[in-house]
Amino acid sequence: MSNLAALPIVIPLIAGVLAALFHKKLKIVRVYAQILTLINTGVVAYILFYVHQNGSVVLESGDWVAPFGIVLVADMLSMTLVLTTNIVAIACIFYAPKSLSQKQEEFYFYTFYFLLISGVSGAFITGDLFNLFVFFEVLLMASYGLIVLGGEKVQLRESMKYVLINLFSSMLFVTTIAFLYSVVGTVNMAQIAERVGEVEQTGILTTIGILLFFVFGTKAALFPLYYWLPRPYIAPNPVISALFGALLTKVGIYSLLRVFSLIFVYERDVTHEFFIWIAALTLIFGSIGALSTNNIKLVVAYNIIPAVGFMLMGIGLYNSTGFSGTVYYLVHDMIIKAALFLLVGAVAYLAGTSDLRKIRGLIHHYPLLGWMFFISAFVLAGIPPFSGFVGKLVLLQGAMEADKIIIAIIGLGSSLLILLSVMRIFVRGFWGEKDESITPNRNAARGFIMPIAFLLFFSVLLGVGAEWFYPSIESIGDYLMNPENYIESILKE
Amino acid sequence: MEIIMSILAGVLFTAGVYNLLQKQMLRIIIGTALISHGAHLFILTMGELKTGAPPILDYDIENYTDPLPQALILTSIVISFGVTSLLLVLAYRASKENGTDNMEKLRGNEND
């Protein structure tokens, strides 16, 4: 049954390649993409169930036993994130035909979309640091394709910066792997962890850890390294923005979570203490950024940054509660960021502009859209009973357990700023006098509403049904606190 | 030998970063290419260089080069080829659409 671990990578990969064969027959390719996304989600859900019942599935490709070959590890953490990825993917694939122009759809949107899903799933599942780099490249290549889809002036201008910053951090990643290889002589994550444990993490290993932190921090848009993020994310179509906002930075955070809960855990006064400060600065600067602009798309793009800060805070706390808070927040944030990007995309499409100063009274024309925005603003800011609340509560609890009061206060304060930044859109864009100049386009609005409602359903379910989900997420937190389990499941001594 | 190779990789990195900080797009791309070459050289060096030894582990061979770095850079080189060619095409289109290849003039403004 170990071949199961490869399926979430292989199915979208093949689906994407096949989609390229009939990319001009839009009707067929749309239905094909929707069906395959659903099938893939089903398969992933089954694997998650299987892993939940029987423990991690480890695929040693080509029958090369663990430290020598390439391993794929499907454990609870990675499969939960892959399932969330696929839920986001379902919403995006049903939203895509309404939002993309015919030209964009014909130019291989569906191929790039599937390759992106494949790359993201691969990055979550791989158990090998070099393959993490390879899957990073797979998903980045797909994202380069997606970001220039349509070839407009703004897109080309912003994509240059996006490609360059990612290319540079990838090269830094390869260099860091080279350093690590020269010190520990392996790229298999479990074996690295074992060997780092044997030597109790000397100074050079901590340096390598910090270098890796900078690589992943660039991908995840952490404090000094986030400046590249907001503009390239709003340049492409809303569906693509949603995929980026939901998935790409989260892969960076996942890598940090994996590496700093498994490998570099022996010099915590240096590394994890440093993370807490970076997390605090990320929270502050991200939420200020979100308040700095009148462009509704940019507000949502800036909101990615404080969310990443929250997740990093959980990693820095280094206790079981902190880790479960990070995982919960990851799942919550992937869903709500996708929903918010789709929502502002719909608003910008229906109002004809993304400038907040020119939008008013939209709720009179589109009441359902307005209230959905209201709910997602609450989810984002963490108002009970929605999922953001549970995630933040667990993280704050972790901060209290670790005696880090300042970060808890900063987290709470920035939540208020986040709420302010999204409520500003609701109050000024949706509320207020009716704008008579807009002719409501109910047909288009209906098409936009379904996928967003689908995502919001999960968001509310995660919050209201926290009792059902929390135990398994808590067990992931415990699992991350005990890296021996991971090492044993791969190396099998 | 390793020391010389490390210095060479360092020189490549320096030249790459210098080019990356220029304003002209083509120079930036050359910079990224140089940095990736530096990184590849670095991986190769980190697995220890043994001149004249094959990267094969066989029962009767005592002196062999570590094959793993070679497998790693092969993958990495392919990726860097792909990205560089994509970047060249992208820079060409971006400079044509925007009418400039100066990164200084490619800054964004609000709401566009």
Side-chain angles (χ1 to χ4, degrees):
Chain A
M1 292 301 273
S2 69
N3 281 336
L4 275 179
L7 283 181
I9 307 168
V10 173
I11 295 173
L13 189 68
I14 294 173
V17 173
L18 289 181
L21 299 177
F22 45 94
H23 66 107
K24 289 238 159 122
K25 298 191 176 68
L26 283 186
K27 275 181 189 155
I28 302 174
V29 81
R30 275 175 197 161
V31 176
Y32 162 84
Q34 287 163 357
I35 290 173
L36 267 156
T37 309
L38 289 173
I39 290 176
N40 192 32
T41 313
V43 171
V44 170
Y46 170 72
I47 301 170
L48 181 63
F49 176 73
Y50 184 85
V51 171
H52 187 75
Q53 299 294 320
N54 305 328
S56 310
V57 177
V58 180
L59 170 62
E60 287 157 336
S61 52
D63 241 352
W64 285 86
V65 190
F68 302 110
I70 294 166
V71 287
L72 298 173
V73 187
D75 57 6
M76 278 299 282
L77 172 65
S78 52
M79 288 322 291
T80 311
L81 295 176
V82 174
L83 184 64
T84 322
T85 304
N86 276 289
I87 287 170
V88 170
I90 292 177
C92 288
I93 203 71
F94 280 95
Y95 188 95
K98 281 106 184 171
S99 158
L100 291 166
S101 67
Q102 191 191 348
K103 193 173 128 207
Q104 285 173 321
E105 272 188 279
E106 276 180 2
F107 276 97
Y108 304 101
F109 168 76
Y110 295 100
T111 305
F112 287 132
Y113 156 85
F114 275 122
L115 293 182
L116 186 74
I117 302 297
S118 172
V120 171
S121 309
F124 285 146
I125 292 175
T126 181
D128 177 321
L129 213 52
F130 193 79
N131 270 308
L132 187 62
F133 160 72
V134 173
F135 280 115
F136 261 133
E137 287 307 312
V138 171
L139 73 93
L140 285 174
M141 276 292 197
S143 77
Y144 301 158
L146 285 172
I147 202 168
V148 291
L149 204 64
E152 277 168 40
K153 222 172 164 178
V154 195
Q155 284 180 314
L156 287 164
R157 193 184 69 201
E158 297 303 336
S159 63
M160 272 304 284
K161 301 161 197 169
Y162 175 77
V163 175
L164 283 171
I165 195 84
N166 277 306
L167 188 56
F168 185 73
S169 69
S170 293
M171 283 310 135
L172 203 60
F173 194 4
V174 174
T175 318
T176 318
I177 291 173
F179 269 125
L180 197 57
Y181 184 74
S182 80
V183 177
V184 295
T186 176
V187 287
N188 184 304
M189 284 205 264
Q191 206 184 7
I192 295 173
E194 198 184 42
R195 291 200 176 163
V196 170
E198 279 164 14
V199 296
E200 291 281 296
Q201 194 176 344
T202 45
I204 182 80
L205 282 165
T206 312
T207 316
I208 293 167
I210 296 289
L211 260 173
L212 267 185
F213 170 76
F214 275 104
V215 172
F216 296 139
T218 314
K219 314 261 184 204
L222 290 167
F223 164 61
L225 310 160
Y226 66 76
Y227 54 92
W228 59 271
L229 178 131
R231 288 189 183 282
Y233 272 35
I234 63 165
N237 195 283
V239 188
I240 298 165
S241 298
L243 281 170
F244 282 16
L247 307 179
L248 298 192
T249 51
K250 310 304 177 290
V251 180
I253 276 291
Y254 163 80
S255 316
L256 279 176
L257 182 62
R258 192 58 109 191
V259 167
F260 285 95
S261 71
L262 181 69
I263 302 173
F264 303 105
V265 290
Y266 301 95
E267 287 274 348
R268 286 199 300 280
D269 327 340
V270 183
T271 50
H272 289 62
E273 204 68 19
F274 174 63
F275 293 170
I276 297 269
W277 289 109
I278 292 286
L281 289 166
T282 312
L283 281 168
I284 295 167
F285 281 87
S287 36
I288 291 176
L291 285 168
S292 71
T293 171
N294 274 315
N295 186 334
I296 52 172
K297 289 184 182 172
L298 214 49
V299 171
V300 177
Y302 266 115
N303 264 316
I304 295 174
I305 298 162
V308 171
F310 270 115
M311 294 171 220
L312 185 68
M313 172 181 147
I315 302 172
L317 293 172
Y318 198 75
N319 54 29
S320 168
T321 325
F323 281 142
S324 15
T326 300
V327 176
Y328 206 96
Y329 210 86
L330 256 172
V331 173
H332 141 78
D333 196 64
M334 278 163 104
I335 292 174
I336 193 62
K337 280 288 136 58
L340 267 173
F341 268 111
L342 296 181
L343 265 168
V344 291
V347 170
Y349 179 89
L350 295 170
T353 171
S354 59
D355 190 345
L356 188 55
R357 285 164 296 196
K358 292 179 190 145
I359 309 170
R360 65 194 166 95
L362 267 185
I363 203 161
H364 298 285
H365 299 292
Y366 311 104
L368 197 55
L369 205 66
W371 290 118
M372 283 198 326
F373 192 87
F374 188 71
I375 293 176
S376 38
F378 271 21
V379 175
L380 186 71
I383 307 279
F386 302 114
S387 55
F389 171 71
V390 184
K392 275 177 191 162
L393 184 72
V394 177
L395 279 172
L396 294 181
Q397 209 180 333
M400 293 300 170
E401 276 175 26
D403 274 331
K404 301 270 194 292
I405 310 294
I406 299 170
I407 184 79
I409 294 168
I410 291 174
L412 286 172
S414 74
S415 299
L416 285 179
L417 293 181
I418 293 167
L419 182 65
L420 180 63
S421 73
V422 271
M423 269 324 202
R424 225 164 46 119
I425 301 178
F426 183 75
V427 171
R428 284 164 58 184
F430 284 98
W431 219 241
E433 274 176 47
K434 192 172 181 178
D435 191 348
E436 298 295 348
S437 63
I438 300 177
T439 43
N441 185 353
R442 293 200 189 285
N443 248 346
R446 208 169 297 137
F448 290 136
I449 280 167
M450 273 313 288
I452 303 169
F454 173 75
L455 287 175
L456 279 182
F457 165 74
F458 279 101
S459 239
V460 175
L461 188 72
L462 262 178
V464 178
E467 290 277 313
W468 306 323
F469 299 109
Y470 191 63
S472 48
I473 289 191
E474 204 173 19
S475 70
I476 296 176
D478 291 335
Y479 170 77
L480 286 173
M481 277 303 285
N482 300 307
E484 311 86 61
N485 296 343
Y486 182 87
I487 298 169
E488 265 165 36
S489 72
I490 293 170
L491 297 180
K492 290 186 200 97
E493 275 136 26
Chain B
M1 190 66 183
E2 274 88 358
I3 304 269
I4 299 169
M5 290 288 264
S6 300
I7 292 170
L8 181 58
V11 170
L12 280 172
F13 265 100
T14 324
V17 170
Y18 174 75
N19 275 301
L20 207 62
L21 295 173
Q22 303 297 305
K23 286 171 191 159
Q24 213 186 337
M25 271 187 198
L26 209 56
R27 282 193 168 212
I28 295 174
I29 296 169
I30 291 171
T32 59
L34 286 176
I35 290 182
S36 55
H37 287 325
H40 299 153
L41 202 59
F42 206 63
I43 297 190
L44 199 62
T45 316
M46 285 297 136
E48 282 187 51
L49 301 164
K50 290 196 182 91
T51 39
I56 305 163
L57 177 53
D58 215 340
Y59 292 110
D60 48 347
I61 296 179
E62 286 283 305
N63 188 23
Y64 62 94
T65 308
D66 190 352
L68 193 68
Q70 311 206 351
L72 299 188
I73 50 167
L74 192 60
T75 318
S76 182
I77 285 172
V78 173
I79 290 170
S80 106
F81 267 142
V83 180
T84 307
S85 56
L86 177 98
L87 206 52
L88 282 168
V89 176
L90 198 64
Y92 175 72
R93 269 300 293 278
S95 62
K96 270 218 148 175
E97 291 278 323
N98 290 291
T100 176
D101 71 337
N102 190 332
M103 287 305 269
E104 198 77 347
K105 290 178 185 152
L106 289 172
R107 292 174 182 231
N109 346 36
E110 186 88 346
N111 293 320
D112 57 0

